[in-house]
Amino acid sequence: MNSQNTQNKFLGALNEKQAEAVTLKNQSALVLAGAGSGKTLVLTSRVSWLIQNQIVSPGGILAVTFTNKAAKEMLVRISSQLPINTRGMWVGTFHGLCNRFLRKHHTDANLPETFQILDSSDQKSAIKRVMKGMNVNEEMYPSKEAQYFINSNKDKGIRSEGVKPHDEHTKKLNEVYAEYERQCQREGVADFAELLLRCIELFTNNSVIRNHYQSIFKHILVDEFQDTSSLQYQWLKLLTSKESFIFAVGDDDQSIYGFRGARVGNMKDFEKDYKIKNVVKLEQNYRSKNNILNTANAIIDNNKNRLGKNLFTDSGDGDLVRQYTALSEVDEANFIIDEIKMLHREGLRYDQFAILYRNNAQSRVIEHAIVSNNIPYRVYGGLRFFERAEIKNGLAYLRLISNKTDDNAFLRIVNFPTRGIGARSIEQLQDLAKNNDTSLWDAALEIESKNEVTKKGIPFFVNLIRHLEDEIHGLSISESIDKIVEQSGLKDHYLKDKDGLDRVSNLNELVSAAVTFLNTVEVDNPDLNLVEFLNYTSLESGELQASAGEDALQLMTIHSSKGLEFDVVFITGLEDGLCPHERSLTESDGLEEERRLMYVAVTRAKNKLYLSLAQSRMLYGQTQYNIPSRFLDEIPEGLIKRMNTVEKSTTNTWDSFSQLPTSSSINREIPIGRQVTHSKFGIGMVIGYEGGENDLRIQIKFKSHGVKLLAMEYAKIEPI
């Protein structure tokens, strides 16, 4: 009876389509979950329903999310729906789950039990060391380029031996890749891309392990399926058999991470590969008013390669979408701040507002306007807790104590705080390690054995690490961190710094993070607590952000806004070349991805949506004269309320820009902002002039051919 009541309780909270998805019998399913349609509720209810009806045990479920936050939220919700212990369930991110698999089968994966995870900056440092050891010229081969080359190949499932260089430059990058692989293997470390690739290789090459997990996981649930890469989809397929089922939840209209390797085509492939009988569409939105949803629907409907759905709501039409055409980026920023101040006086908190932009560089002028008006604000997605220098320095001591072969950690702290070890000494140490094919720590031991211990230099550092290792023996992680911060010299160093108190506070917070970790994470082997904590800091990077709960105006890129919602949203810089970005016009599927990005931005708004653009904008030190974003033309007139006197032309959006100011310093025949036609390039708009009377050149932004600089004397152009 109680069981039935529990089931009725969580099923009763679902609408018809949500309930249909949750109660699907043994079959793979694709759930198209539109923005604000309750996909998290559906996912957790699906898990609860499967367990409640004894279709599968908790241990037979694998749930994959894209953030640790989403994984934790899922477990909390399941616990609230069912009286079960969720700690043994396989719920986590792709990276987190791969880490768990590799940890259990480290021998088969050819990894040490204590292997550690390199975050992005540590990986870059490791690559730099490799290149230096190979005498590779970093001016010709930047470490950032090498890092991208390595990760992009790993994301495609290609090892260095599988790369086919097409020129000498690529050949050298691949040599760096090969040496980097050897170094990581020797040091017992793995970067993020390696976790997934190594796990796929483990399942591919070891049928016993693969079959074992295929027999365990009968139901696999995947969140944000539209963001999966080709390699992640391959990983999922390796974990499924004919007797197991995938419940994929996603929204192809919100696939905006193509630059990270996300492949929206996985959704159509999934339909085919798993013979999906029907696609369940969650179209009822619980976030936004109808005018906002109709705006989003109208924009995204122009994308051709989509599965198709149409969002609706029962919460009423709401206000019309407001559009403001500013004279400049300063005018745009001032308008936004004036609107925020007015709505704030009417009772809205600052944290109910979000200002979105396509490019980070756009925030400068907006921030200036905010500061000028003494409004508290926060740039969402700023420097993350575990990425702060003082935190990475503190963790580096722990990493080196835990794993003496971690050369990245060694290099980070060998002379921090400074202890008289110069660049030349470090070079000699690296040469010794390379010649002996050992770690930097082993090379340091060799130097230490031949020298007297003083208050500085490499012998002093070796003895400091030995001392710290003795001091923290038997202590908890939190106690160890506290001891290291005090005795390494980090605390004293930062207290001398101008913002040192904040840095010391962050180090104190690291102690708190360790306490939280021990209280919330179940570790099979207590001896591996330290290793697990260090991996936790890598996997959790960015989840413990400061100032998250403060009443402050939110600024962020459109990419950063995905998954968030706000009462009032301002989407700025809606100009062709900025949104959509000019790069999208030359990339395959580029414009469709930009339109999906616009769709994401629009659907962040709950009650009020503002769209703004500037006729002229100074960006990267240059003033640009802009064409309104083509996305604005895709919105029906009946949904828009214009906030200024610039009216939309019945023939062409560009005509509204025909009154742009012109300079009288040069006798221009055609004013800036005027439409023209060219016999070869077609229709364009005058955006500037260069030169004097004798060598006057006209700059035109053409619809189909981009910006051209033409000699005025010879340019065959006609005003329209």
Side-chain angles (χ1 to χ4, degrees), residues 4 55 77 142 159 168 280 326 402 404 523 537:
Q4 188 64 44
I55 295 171
R77 288 202 184 194
R159 292 287 184 192
E168 287 301 313
V280 182
S402 173
K404 297 297 194 305
V523 181
T537 64

Coordinates of all heavy atoms in Angstrom, one line a residue, residues 4 55 77 142 159 168 280 326 402 404 523 537:
Q4 N 2.5 1.7 -3.3 CA 1.6 2.2 -4.3 C 1.4 3.7 -4.1 O 1.4 4.5 -5.1 CB 0.3 1.5 -4.2 CG -0.7 1.8 -5.4 CD -0.2 1.4 -6.7 OE1 0.3 0.3 -6.9 NE2 -0.3 2.3 -7.7
I55 N 11.8 -3.4 -11.7 CA 12.2 -3.7 -13.0 C 13.7 -3.9 -13.0 O 14.3 -4.7 -13.8 CB 11.8 -2.6 -14.0 CG1 10.2 -2.6 -14.1 CG2 12.4 -2.8 -15.4 CD1 9.7 -1.4 -14.9
R77 N 17.1 14.0 -5.4 CA 15.7 13.8 -5.7 C 15.2 12.4 -5.6 O 14.1 12.1 -5.2 CB 15.4 14.3 -7.2 CG 15.5 15.8 -7.3 CD 14.8 16.3 -8.6 NE 14.9 17.7 -8.8 CZ 14.1 18.3 -9.7 NH1 13.2 17.6 -10.4 NH2 14.3 19.6 -9.9
P142 N 53.4 26.7 -30.4 CA 52.9 27.1 -29.1 C 52.3 25.9 -28.3 O 51.6 25.0 -28.9 CB 51.8 28.1 -29.5 CG 52.1 28.6 -30.8 CD 52.7 27.4 -31.5
R159 N 45.2 7.7 -31.1 CA 46.5 7.8 -30.5 C 47.5 8.4 -31.4 O 47.2 8.5 -32.6 CB 46.9 6.4 -30.0 CG 46.0 5.8 -28.9 CD 46.3 6.5 -27.6 NE 45.6 5.9 -26.5 CZ 45.5 6.5 -25.3 NH1 46.2 7.7 -25.1 NH2 44.9 5.9 -24.3
E168 N 54.9 19.0 -42.4 CA 56.0 18.9 -41.4 C 55.5 19.5 -40.0 O 55.9 19.0 -39.0 CB 57.2 19.7 -41.9 CG 58.0 19.0 -43.0 CD 58.5 17.6 -42.6 OE1 59.0 17.5 -41.4 OE2 58.3 16.6 -43.3
V280 N 9.4 10.7 -27.7 CA 8.5 11.4 -26.7 C 8.9 12.8 -26.7 O 10.1 13.2 -26.4 CB 8.5 10.8 -25.3 CG1 7.5 11.5 -24.4 CG2 8.2 9.3 -25.4
A326 N 20.1 50.9 -30.2 CA 21.0 52.0 -29.6 C 21.8 52.6 -30.7 O 22.2 52.0 -31.7 CB 21.8 51.4 -28.5
S402 N 51.8 12.7 -2.3 CA 51.0 11.5 -2.7 C 51.7 10.7 -3.8 O 51.6 9.5 -3.9 CB 49.6 11.8 -3.1 OG 48.9 10.7 -3.6
K404 N 55.3 10.9 -5.9 CA 56.6 11.6 -6.1 C 57.0 11.7 -7.6 O 57.9 12.4 -8.0 CB 57.7 10.8 -5.4 CG 57.5 10.8 -3.9 CD 57.6 12.1 -3.3 CE 57.8 12.1 -1.7 NZ 56.7 11.4 -1.1
V523 N 34.6 6.1 0.1 CA 35.8 5.6 -0.5 C 36.0 4.1 0.0 O 36.0 3.8 1.2 CB 37.0 6.4 -0.1 CG1 38.3 5.9 -0.7 CG2 36.9 7.9 -0.5
T537 N 39.1 17.2 -6.5 CA 39.3 18.6 -6.8 C 39.4 18.9 -8.3 O 39.1 19.9 -8.7 CB 40.6 19.1 -6.1 OG1 41.8 18.4 -6.6 CG2 40.6 18.9 -4.6

